[in-house]
Amino acid sequence: MSTPCQISGCKNDAPAAISEHRLCLLHFTLSLEASCAAMRRETALGNAPHERQREIMAFITANGESLARVATSGLVLTDDLKARILSTFLTLMNLRENLDRANMRSSFGRVSHPR
Ligand SMILES: [Zn+2]
C-alpha cells in the first residue's frame, strides 16, 4: 500500500499526497531545490524561450501545491523537516520572482528605469 522512496538507501516511504513522485518528504524537498537551482541558472539571463518559461511557472505552481498539500496533511514532521519545507517554499517563490525579473529585463532591453 505504501510507496517506498526511490532514492537508493532511503528507507522512508513517500507520503500519500506526493506518492506520484515516489519520494519521501525529505527527498522531495531536495529534488525540488535541485530542480529550482537548475531552472534558475537556465533562466538567469532572461533568454529562455517563452514556452520553457511557461513550463517552469507550471512546475513552480504544481510543486508548490504538492508541497503545501503534504505539509498540511497531518503527517508528523520534525522541526528540521518543517524548516526545510519552508525554505523550499522560499526557493520556489524566489525562482518565480527571478523569472519575472529576468523577463522584465529582456523585454525592456536597455531602457533605463529611473528610480
Ligand atoms: Zn527518501
Side-chain angles (χ1 to χ4, degrees):
M1 175 80 202
S2 61
T3 311
C5 178
Q6 63 171 317
I7 303 294
S8 68
C10 181
K11 302 273 194 295
N12 296 321
D13 283 334
I18 53 167
S19 60
E20 75 270 25
H21 294 281
R22 304 183 162 278
L23 289 169
C24 66
L25 190 45
L26 172 65
H27 283 118
F28 181 60
T29 60
L30 290 174
S31 98
L32 278 183
E33 296 276 356
S35 306
C36 285
M39 290 175 185
R40 193 160 175 157
R41 281 192 297 275
E42 189 183 340
T43 56
L45 300 175
N47 51 13
H50 278 275
E51 177 83 354
R52 179 63 182 145
Q53 290 181 22
R54 271 198 299 277
E55 270 173 33
I56 292 174
M57 285 179 190
F59 173 93
I60 294 169
T61 310
N63 286 284
E65 281 173 8
S66 298
L67 195 59
R69 210 175 317 126
V70 69
T72 55
S73 65
L75 287 181
V76 177
L77 303 170
T78 61
D79 284 348
D80 273 359
L81 206 45
K82 287 179 197 164
R84 170 161 291 287
I85 290 167
L86 291 182
S87 91
T88 303
F89 268 120
L90 193 60
T91 303
L92 287 168
M93 288 187 279
N94 286 340
L95 175 61
R96 173 65 213 233
E97 194 175 301
N98 270 40
L99 201 58
D100 290 341
R101 219 181 279 149
N103 233 333
M104 210 114 90
R105 270 200 305 273
S106 69
S107 46
F108 289 122
R110 293 185 184 180
V111 176
S112 63
H113 298 281
R115 301 190 178 198

